[in-house]
Amino acid sequence: MIYKIEKLYRIFILKLCIVFILSCKSNSINEISQIQSFPYKSYHLDDSGDILNTEIFSSDFQDSKDCAECHPNHYEEWNMSSHAHSSSSIFFQKRLADAVHEHEQSIERFCDQCHDPISVISEKDENNSLIHSGVTCDVCHTMTRKSSTTIALPHQIVTSQLFLNPGEGIKYGPLNSPNQNNYHESQFNPIYKQSESCLPCHDLKHEDLETEITFTEWSRIPGMSMSGAFPCQQCHMPEKEDGTHEHHFAGVDLSYELPPKEEPLYNKVLELLETAAQISFKSNIEEIADSIAWSNYINIPVRIESLNGHHLPSGTSFNRECWVSIEVRDSDANGELIYKNGILESTIELLNYYEKDLVLFTSFLITEEGDTTQDVLKASQIINHSLPGLNIKYTDYRFKINNQIKSLWIKAKLNFRPIKPFIFDELPLLKQNIPIYTIDEIEKTIHIIN
Ligand code: HEC
Ligand code: HEC
Ligand code: HEC
Ligand code: HEC
Ligand code: HEC
C-alpha cells in the first residue's frame, strides 16, 4: 500500500514537472558558448577503426581505483555498475566472440567504441592496464563537449566521436564551485546535467535502422526533452541525501553470474523497474465495477500506463520482454481456474508469442532473409512493439463463465524479463539466473449478479 502511494506521488510529481518543463526555454546561449570553449584532444581513425593519428595516450586516463581514496562511494557504486564491466562481462565476451566469428576481427573496435572506448581512441602505452577497463570514471569525467548518435555503416567501423580532454589533471563535472583538492583541478561543465552526456553510446542506428535508440526515444517525448529538465540522470543517477549522485547506473541488467537476489544491483534494478509503469483494471472510459450482471462472456479491461523516460523496454529491446499475465479464478469453488493469459511456470520457460490476447512489449530484429536475429549488424528491419514513454496501452480479456459463479478473483501483473532465455542457450550457467521482475500487480474480486 505504502508503495502504491509512493508510486502515485511519483506520477503526480512527474506530470507536474512536465507541465512546468513545457513552459520553460532551452539551454541558454551562455551555456553553449561555455561548452564550445572547452578543449578536447583529437583522434582520427581509418575505415577499419585503426588509429591514423591521435593526441591521446592510454596513460592519460587514470585508473578508477585512484579515485576511491577521496570518492569512496562513487567508486564502490560505479564498480557494481555495468559501465565497470562493459568490456569484461561474460555476456559481452560471448557476444563479441560471436560477432568476430560472424563478421571479421575488426568488429571488435565497433563494439569497443562504446564498451571500451579508451582502447579505440588512444595510443597504447606499454604496461598500461587501463586498456580493457570499460566505461571508467575518466571516460565520463574528461568529457568536454556533446557528441551525436552512433551510426553503424558497412564501410566504416567506428563512427562515434568522443570529445575528451584527458591527461591534463582536470576533472569536468556538475559542481559549480567544488572544494579544492591537491589531486586534480575541477571544472564545472553544464553537460553533466544533460542527457547529451550519455551520447553517443546510448543511441545506435544501423544505417537508417533505429536499433538501440534510448536517447532518441527520450528526445521524442516533448515534456522530457524540451528543456532537458528531465534528463537520464534524474532517473538513473538520483540525488542522494548528501547531495551527491548515485553511480550504480542501475538499468535492467545483472551479471547473471549469481542467483538474482545475491547480485549487488538486484534491489536497485527492482526499484527502478517498479517506477516504469502502472497497471489497472480500467478501460479508456471507466474502472471495472465491483459487481456486474451475469452474462455468457465477461470482459476484463486492463490499462498499462508508462511512467518511463523512453520506450519500455529500450536499448537492446530485442533482448528483453515485458508482458501482462492475468489469472481469473472462481472465488468460491476452491479457487478453480477460469481463465489465464501470459502465465509462465518457470523463469526460463519461453513465452508463447502466438498466445491469443497476449500483451507483449519487445522488439524483433529481422534479417534480409526474413529471419529474426539478435545481431544489430545483420538486421535490415526492426519490428518494434515496445511501449513508448508516457504512453498508455488498453486491452481487454474476454472469457466465458457459467451461471453458477457468484464471484471472480482476478490478478494481473506486468512482468519484465531482461533476457529472452534462448539468448543464453550457450551460457547455461547464466541462463538459470535470469530473473522475472514484477513491475506492478493488482488484484480484484468482482461479484456476479445472477
Ligand atoms: C585527493 C583527493 C581526491 C582524489 C584522489 C580524487 N578527487 Fe575528485 N574531487 C576531490 C574533491 C575534494 C572534490 C570536490 C568535491 C566537492 O566540492 O564536493 C572533487 C571533485 C571531483 C569532481 C567534480 C568536479 C566538478 O566541478 O563538478 C569530479 C568529476 C571528480 N572529482 C572526479 C575524480 C576522478 C575521476 C578521480 C580519479 C581519477 C578523482 N576525482 C580523484 C578530491 C579528490
Ligand atoms: C562511453 C560510452 C557510454 C557513456 C558515455 C554512457 N554509457 Fe551507459 N552504458 C554504456 C555501455 C556500453 C553499457 C552496457 C554495458 C554492458 O551491459 O555491457 C551501458 C549501460 C548503462 C546502463 C545499464 C543498462 C542496463 O540494462 O542495465 C545504464 C542505466 C546507463 N548505461 C546509463 C547511462 C547514463 C545515464 C549515462 C550518461 C550520464 C551513460 N550511461 C553514459 C556506455 C556508455
Ligand atoms: C523518467 C525516468 C527515466 C528517464 C528520464 C530515463 N530513464 Fe532509462 N529507465 C527508466 C526505467 C524505469 C527503466 C526500466 C524500464 C525499462 O526497461 O525501460 C529504464 C531502463 C533503462 C535502460 C535499460 C534498457 C531498457 O530495458 O530500457 C537504459 C540503458 C536506460 N534506461 C538508459 C537511459 C538513458 C540513456 C536515458 C536518457 C536519454 C534514460 N534512460 C532516461 C527510467 C528513466
Ligand atoms: C557514465 C558516465 C559517468 C561515469 C562512468 C562516472 N561518472 Fe561521475 N558523474 C557523472 C554525471 C553525469 C554526474 C552528474 C550527475 C548530476 O549532477 O545529475 C557525475 C557526478 C560526479 C561527481 C560530483 C558529485 C556528484 O555525485 O554529483 C563526482 C565527484 C563524480 N561524479 C565522480 C566519479 C567517480 C570517482 C567515478 C568513477 C568511480 C565516476 N564519477 C564515474 C557521470 C559519470
Ligand atoms: C553505440 C554504442 C554501442 C555499440 C557500438 C555496441 N554496444 Fe553493446 N551496448 C551498448 C549499450 C548502451 C548497452 C546497454 C543497453 C541496454 O541496456 O539496453 C549495450 C549492451 C550490450 C550487451 C548487454 C545486452 C543486454 O541485452 O543485456 C551486450 C552483450 C553487448 N552490448 C555487446 C555488444 C557487442 C558484441 C557489440 C559489437 C558487435 C556492441 N555491443 C556494440 C552500447 C553499444
Side-chain angles (χ1 to χ4, degrees):
M1 191 61 200
I2 293 176
Y3 141 73
K4 270 274 176 202
I5 293 170
E6 270 176 16
K7 195 154 177 170
L8 289 174
Y9 179 71
R10 225 190 75 95
I11 301 168
F12 173 73
I13 297 292
L14 186 75
K15 288 185 173 162
L16 205 70
C17 285
I18 287 169
V19 171
F20 170 76
I21 291 158
L22 284 168
S23 61
C24 294
K25 284 216 320 269
S26 41
N27 309 338
S28 71
I29 310 258
N30 266 349
E31 238 178 40
I32 292 167
S33 61
Q34 185 182 7
I35 297 170
Q36 277 170 354
S37 70
F38 289 135
Y40 65 89
K41 295 189 172 173
S42 54
Y43 59 90
H44 297 98
L45 310 176
D46 65 18
D47 287 350
S48 321
D50 290 326
I51 293 174
L52 290 170
N53 56 65
T54 178
E55 295 174 349
I56 304 174
F57 291 92
S58 56
S59 57
D60 288 343
F61 295 93
Q62 282 166 281
D63 195 321
S64 299
K65 285 199 190 87
D66 297 353
C67 320
E69 186 192 335
C70 304
H71 302 293
N73 297 336
H74 288 89
Y75 176 75
E76 203 185 305
E77 292 171 4
W78 167 84
N79 202 27
M80 291 179 202
S81 76
S82 60
H83 285 148
H85 306 109
S86 61
S87 69
S88 57
S89 76
I90 296 181
F91 189 16
F92 174 73
Q93 286 299 332
K94 171 74 171 80
R95 297 285 289 121
L96 179 62
D98 291 347
V100 167
H101 180 74
E102 291 288 328
H103 304 275
E104 50 189 291
Q105 188 61 41
S106 59
I107 213 69
E108 187 167 358
R109 295 179 77 73
F110 166 73
C111 311
D112 283 348
Q113 64 184 318
C114 303
H115 282 264
D116 192 22
I118 296 175
S119 71
V120 174
I121 62 175
S122 51
E123 200 75 69
K124 294 180 186 62
D125 304 83
E126 284 305 313
N127 306 325
N128 193 314
S129 62
L130 261 175
I131 301 287
H132 301 306
S133 50
V135 183
T136 65
C137 312
D138 269 3
V139 168
C140 288
H141 286 295
T142 63
M143 193 185 288
T144 53
R145 299 190 192 187
K146 300 176 186 180
S147 308
S148 46
T149 303
T150 297
I151 302 178
L153 296 172
H155 56 276
Q156 198 184 352
I157 300 278
V158 176
T159 58
S160 75
Q161 206 186 358
L162 293 169
F163 297 98
L164 308 183
N165 188 32
E168 301 298 315
I170 309 171
K171 306 299 171 207
Y172 297 83
L175 304 178
N176 231 322
S177 44
N179 292 319
Q180 300 288 318
N181 72 82
N182 312 330
Y183 187 75
H184 63 76
E185 247 181 79
S186 297
Q187 174 64 60
F188 167 72
N189 184 338
I191 66 170
Y192 287 85
K193 289 278 182 203
Q194 300 166 8
S195 291
E196 279 78 357
S197 61
C198 314
L199 271 172
C201 312
H202 286 274
D203 224 32
L204 173 66
K205 288 204 220 166
H206 179 206
E207 302 189 60
D208 288 337
L209 200 64
E210 299 186 324
T211 48
E212 295 175 30
I213 52 153
T214 305
F215 178 88
T216 301
E217 289 163 0
W218 170 85
S219 70
R220 285 174 183 161
I221 307 175
M224 291 277 168
S225 59
M226 271 172 81
S227 73
F230 222 99
C232 319
Q233 289 87 331
Q234 190 85 21
C235 301
H236 291 289
M237 304 185 75
E239 190 175 322
K240 305 204 289 184
E241 268 173 17
D242 65 1
T244 63
H245 294 83
E246 272 193 31
H247 275 59
H248 295 104
F249 300 97
V252 300
D253 266 330
L254 302 169
S255 77
Y256 310 109
E257 287 164 43
L258 298 170
K261 288 186 182 157
E262 288 171 28
E263 294 251 11
L265 275 188
Y266 177 78
N267 284 323
K268 290 276 156 202
V269 170
L270 181 59
E271 271 172 37
L272 181 77
L273 277 165
E274 285 175 346
T275 68
Q278 205 189 18
I279 184 167
S280 50
F281 292 122
K282 276 186 194 160
S283 69
N284 55 354
I285 306 163
E286 57 188 359
E287 200 157 333
I288 193 167
D290 292 338
S291 15
I292 48 180
W294 182 86
S295 75
N296 245 331
Y297 282 95
I298 296 283
N299 240 17
I300 306 293
V302 168
R303 174 184 193 269
I304 302 113
E305 177 174 17
S306 155
L307 310 171
N308 207 349
H310 37 68
H311 286 218
L312 171 67
S314 180
T316 52
S317 54
F318 44 85
N319 286 350
R320 326 242 189 239
E321 290 165 332
C322 176
W323 75 100
V324 176
S325 61
I326 183 165
E327 56 176 304
V328 181
R329 293 177 182 275
D330 182 344
S331 310
D332 302 329
N334 298 325
E336 189 196 329
L337 184 71
I338 295 174
Y339 174 80
K340 65 173 183 168
N341 195 289
I343 306 257
L344 296 183
E345 298 304 325
S346 82
T347 52
I348 56 170
E349 185 186 342
L350 299 185
L351 268 171
N352 174 6
Y353 293 153
Y354 299 103
E355 184 172 5
K356 189 176 166 286
D357 295 331
L358 180 72
V359 174
L360 171 70
F361 305 115
T362 186
S363 71
F364 300 94
L365 296 175
I366 311 290
T367 62
E368 240 159 41
E369 293 75 33
D371 301 322
T372 56
T373 174
Q374 307 308 119
D375 183 343
V376 164
L377 297 177
K378 283 192 178 164
S380 64
Q381 198 194 333
I382 180 165
I383 301 176
N384 202 330
H385 289 307
S386 53
L387 178 66
L390 304 185
N391 261 39
I392 298 175
K393 158 94 183 164
Y394 292 101
T395 191
D396 264 308
Y397 296 95
R398 192 174 143 83
F399 51 87
K400 225 174 171 167
I401 56 169
N402 66 40
N403 60 5
Q404 303 303 309
I405 289 174
K406 302 269 178 307
S407 65
L408 296 173
W409 175 83
I410 322 166
K411 181 173 179 172
K413 266 192 196 184
L414 187 63
N415 308 286
F416 191 96
R417 182 156 57 184
I419 305 288
K420 296 176 181 170
F422 69 83
I423 293 169
F424 282 169
D425 278 351
E426 289 170 34
L427 296 168
L429 291 176
L430 304 199
K431 187 168 173 174
Q432 63 183 11
N433 294 326
I434 299 173
I436 295 181
Y437 298 94
T438 302
I439 293 180
D440 196 11
E441 65 184 315
I442 42 172
E443 283 180 34
K444 188 170 175 85
T445 304
I446 299 174
H447 300 284
I448 308 291
I449 308 162
N450 269 294

